[in-house]
Amino acid sequence: MYEPIRTKSVHTMAAAPEVPHRSREEELDIRLAGQLTALLTVTDELHARAVRDAGGTDGTATDGAALAAAAERIAEQVARLSGGHYPLRAEPSDDSSPSRTEALQQRAHTLAGNALAVATSRGDAAAMALTAERMEAHAAPLRDRDLATA
């Protein structure tokens, strides 16, 4: 009554030895490098804002120097995970609104948390220390903002 199926099912696993498979460690390296690269982009943006606003107070200039040092340390970690290839650096935007700065601080905090989770899974002490430090650094302005509005 029914005609038999003459072709192989698309649901069967093909045994293709030419398909490269990565180990869990390689996948975690790739994920961590990606998270750190995203954090680097946001850190560069915050650094550019701090430098642009440095004309007003000394505290901002200190923050700018701290952000520049953090960006370099992040770039070194990405290079270590990427086989010595330093990441490309994005050009900061021109939007200087305070709400954009707050959003960038929140985004940096979230990215640092994501990178910390991956670094913990990977067991990378250097990346864990760096991302925990960046999480704390980006949480401070958010706490100050919350205290000011309370």
Side-chain angles (χ1 to χ4, degrees), residues 8 10 16 18 41 55 58 60 62 78-79 83 87 95 104 106 109 132 137 141 143 147 149:
K8 286 191 169 192
V10 295
E18 68 274 357
T41 301
D58 292 330
T60 307
T62 304
V78 173
D95 184 10
L104 285 170
Q106 180 64 45
H109 184 263
R143 276 195 307 269
L147 290 174
T149 59

Side-chain angles (χ1 to χ4, degrees), residues 114-136:
N114 292 344
L116 179 59
V118 177
T120 302
S121 294
R122 188 176 175 275
D124 188 337
M128 285 190 302
L130 176 62
T131 55
E133 174 190 314
R134 296 317 310 152
M135 251 185 101
E136 182 60 33

Side-chain angles (χ1 to χ4, degrees), residues 2 34 62 70 84 94 116 125 144:
Y2 296 103
T62 304
D94 290 332
L116 179 59
D144 294 344

Side-chain angles (χ1 to χ4, degrees), residues 50-113:
V51 169
R52 201 170 33 234
D53 298 339
T57 62
D58 292 330
T60 307
T62 304
D63 291 342
L67 286 167
E72 286 307 312
R73 289 180 35 227
I74 293 168
E76 288 170 4
Q77 289 293 322
V78 173
R80 179 179 62 86
L81 293 165
S82 303
H85 301 289
Y86 276 81
L88 297 175
R89 307 288 281 267
E91 186 70 28
S93 68
D94 290 332
D95 184 10
S96 61
S97 66
S99 63
R100 174 81 174 138
T101 303
E102 289 177 19
L104 285 170
Q105 289 287 359
Q106 180 64 45
R107 181 73 178 143
H109 184 263
T110 302
L111 288 167

